[in-house]
Amino acid sequence: MDIFTFPSMSQHQTFDYVIAGAGSAGCTLAARLCEDPDVTVCLVEAGGSSNSLFVRMPAGNGFIFGNPRFDWGYESVPQAGLDGRTIYYPRGKGLGGTSLMNGLIYVRGNRLDFDRWRDMGIPGWGYADVLPYFKKSETAPHRDSEFHGQSGPLKISPAENYCAVSQMFVEAAQQAGAAFNDDFNAARQVGVGRFDATVFNGQRQSTSATYLQQRPANLTILTGTRVLRVGFRGNRATGLEVSINGISQTINAEREIISCLGAFESPKLLMLSGIGPAAHLQGHGIEPIVDLSGVGESLQDHPNMPLTFEINDRSLSFARYQRLDRAISLGMRYLVNKSGPATGPFWSTALFHAFDGGNLPDLEVFCTPMVVREGAGGAGWSLQNILNPGRAILARGKTAAPGIQFDINLLRPESRGSVRLASTNPADHPLIDPGYFSQQQDVETLIDGVDHIRKLTSRPALSKLVGDEIAVGPQVKSRSSMAAGLRQHITTGHHPVSTCRIGADDDAQAVLDAQFRVRGVEGLRVVDASAFPDQLSGNPNAAVIMMAERAADMLLDRPQLEPAQI
């Protein structure tokens, strides 16, 4: 793919559409808009080309996390609900955005999530409305065509590394009452099974590698270009102010500007441009264009509790691949013929658990046959550190240890947070406050989740393999001590959403209408995870791509696909 970075925008500086951010939404939207040969599109990305072996290799994201070439490395403000701890938020930097480094899990969310959006007074957002766009985006030849597509850019396949431990987990979950589910994106989400991954022929299917595999002639891509703010004439957005090699310039939009910068940066861009809570903007010396109190509000994330155990048969743990000779063998198999464990994530199974036995899960639990540890051990003689000097610093000292890790994601947290400006400098990260555990019910539900997974590990399929509990620790038994343990161990599920959310016309906190248009101005839309009306029951990447598919039809005045009849 050809990438053009212009040192000067003296020519070709006016386009029909200007897209800020080349992540999952931005790449998808650019490709679909360019299907109309009569329009011109400029896609602006602050990162680089993302051309790296470790991006393409599914198991290579350990090299990407914390690496400033690929990771923006956000950090939350201290969390009162987590005893003052801050949370590290890796977010992708470069063409493809966070699809360069995510966990590759293809889960769309629950059909009841989308029906809830429709019932919130947002027309056209029920499950029947969105399913055709999920199908349009994907190629899943191994799946039932009633729920899956066979000709879309995003290729998916069953997750690799469905190993002995993964199979034991699936069997133990069934022994604990879960139904086996061979497709979390079909008729029913609840249950346990092997998930689909955005991997094809051993390579990560980022949106840059799929939707922009071949660059359309009417698409201009600017890398290394920082977005500063949106320019207005009255209340109409007319251009995107950017910095190229430290020089501020304006890229003009004849039709519209679309922010695809994600749940942290899209609200920041709106606020820097004068759209947001008036008092907050004025406190930073920004004159409000529109007083939109919902900008930066309603932040939701999936809190993740990593429950870890020793493993009684260390030969089954994927931590064995950290040994130098095995790491070399793993890497060579991948380089020579795209085979072996490096062709997939080191997790392949999930449990969607509903405490009430219904169809809307409370938890999403992943089983990984190794334990990710912080601190000492990140440095040393290993293939990873030879290939990537300084990994112990860039990856914050993380290393794998023999064991089993169950990542328990709370899918529908009641806690809400916010994103606010730290300053008027566009290069400064915003103030990110996910508000973890600001609602006690989230603590209670996760305690129940830990209790359920503990019971699951005692089932016959896993009981002989699972050793002593590492974290939170076998001594932690009462609900009060468990709550304290959760506060010390909770991490992000990497799914921040809803900071510029779509909402009904009478929703005072809604930033966008049902067609992604920013309320109170013209010519400006936001299409990314920040637009979610609320949190989904699963990983957001597939839904972000679906949203961009829909937005392209809206922008080009094409009719929406016919709702599914299921």
Side-chain angles (χ1 to χ4, degrees), residues 90-156:
R91 296 278 95 187
K93 180 180 182 181
L95 289 176
T98 303
S99 71
L100 301 174
M101 63 188 305
N102 66 12
L104 298 162
I105 297 164
Y106 184 80
V107 172
R108 298 170 176 172
N110 192 285
R111 63 186 302 160
L112 296 177
D113 292 326
F114 302 106
D115 288 344
R116 181 179 65 251
W117 290 3
R118 176 200 62 203
D119 296 342
M120 290 167 63
I122 310 171
W125 281 98
Y127 179 70
D129 302 300
V130 302
L131 178 57
Y133 285 94
F134 279 118
K135 293 172 67 173
K136 180 182 180 181
S137 69
E138 71 169 349
T139 292
H142 61 291
R143 291 302 191 194
D144 187 340
S145 60
E146 183 181 14
F147 293 98
H148 292 277
Q150 279 76 44
S151 58
L154 188 69
K155 298 180 177 64
I156 67 171

Side-chain angles (χ1 to χ4, degrees), residues 77-352:
V77 300
Q79 293 296 286
L82 304 183
D83 296 336
R85 290 194 300 123
T86 60
I87 297 295
Y88 168 55
Y89 277 105
R91 296 278 95 187
K93 180 180 182 181
L95 289 176
T98 303
S99 71
L100 301 174
M101 63 188 305
N102 66 12
L104 298 162
I105 297 164
Y106 184 80
V107 172
R108 298 170 176 172
N110 192 285
R111 63 186 302 160
L112 296 177
D113 292 326
F114 302 106
D115 288 344
R116 181 179 65 251
W117 290 3
R118 176 200 62 203
D119 296 342
M120 290 167 63
I122 310 171
W125 281 98
Y127 179 70
D129 302 300
V130 302
L131 178 57
Y133 285 94
F134 279 118
K135 293 172 67 173
K136 180 182 180 181
S137 69
E138 71 169 349
T139 292
H142 61 291
R143 291 302 191 194
D144 187 340
S145 60
E146 183 181 14
F147 293 98
H148 292 277
Q150 279 76 44
S151 58
L154 188 69
K155 298 180 177 64
I156 67 171
S157 57
E160 296 293 338
N161 295 316
Y162 187 58
C163 63
V165 175
S166 302
Q167 294 171 49
M168 292 177 190
F169 169 66
V170 170
E171 186 176 352
Q174 291 176 270
Q175 292 169 348
F180 179 73
N181 191 339
D182 67 351
D183 188 353
F184 297 121
N185 300 303
R188 180 176 169 85
Q189 185 187 30
V190 170
V192 66
R194 182 180 183 180
F195 56 73
D196 284 338
T198 50
V199 176
F200 184 71
N201 285 343
Q203 298 197 69
R204 171 182 289 272
Q205 297 294 285
S206 69
T207 50
S208 56
T210 53
Y211 280 87
L212 295 182
Q213 186 175 26
Q214 295 183 347
R215 186 180 63 85
N218 52 343
L219 174 63
T220 297
I221 301 175
L222 303 182
T223 55
T225 303
R226 180 179 292 278
V227 173
L228 303 179
R229 61 188 57 83
V230 178
F232 285 88
R233 185 181 300 116
N235 74 335
R236 179 168 186 83
T238 58
L240 191 66
E241 296 180 33
V242 301
S243 175
I244 304 176
N245 295 330
I247 301 173
S248 297
Q249 301 185 41
T250 298
I251 308 171
N252 298 311
E254 288 283 354
R255 298 190 186 182
E256 297 200 38
I257 295 167
I258 308 100
S259 177
C260 299
L261 294 169
F264 299 149
E265 290 292 329
S266 276
K268 187 182 93 173
L269 175 64
L270 293 188
M271 288 186 281
L272 288 173
S273 305
I275 301 170
H280 177 64
L281 301 186
Q282 290 165 343
H284 284 281
I286 299 172
E287 185 63 31
I289 295 174
V290 181
D291 181 5
L292 270 184
S293 61
V295 174
E297 289 294 322
S298 305
L299 173 62
Q300 288 183 268
D301 188 19
H302 290 143
N304 173 62
M305 174 58 209
L307 186 65
T308 57
F309 295 84
E310 300 285 355
I311 189 170
N312 291 328
D313 184 350
R314 292 192 166 203
S315 69
L316 296 178
S317 173
F318 284 165
R320 65 187 185 272
Y321 294 117
Q322 286 196 135
R323 205 175 80 182
L324 180 59
D325 58 334
R326 291 171 179 166
I328 291 173
S329 175
L330 182 148
M332 290 304 298
R333 287 182 65 186
Y334 185 82
L335 289 171
V336 171
N337 58 10
K338 298 295 188 296
S339 66
T343 60
F346 287 141
W347 43 88
S348 62
T349 51
L351 165 67
F352 286 90

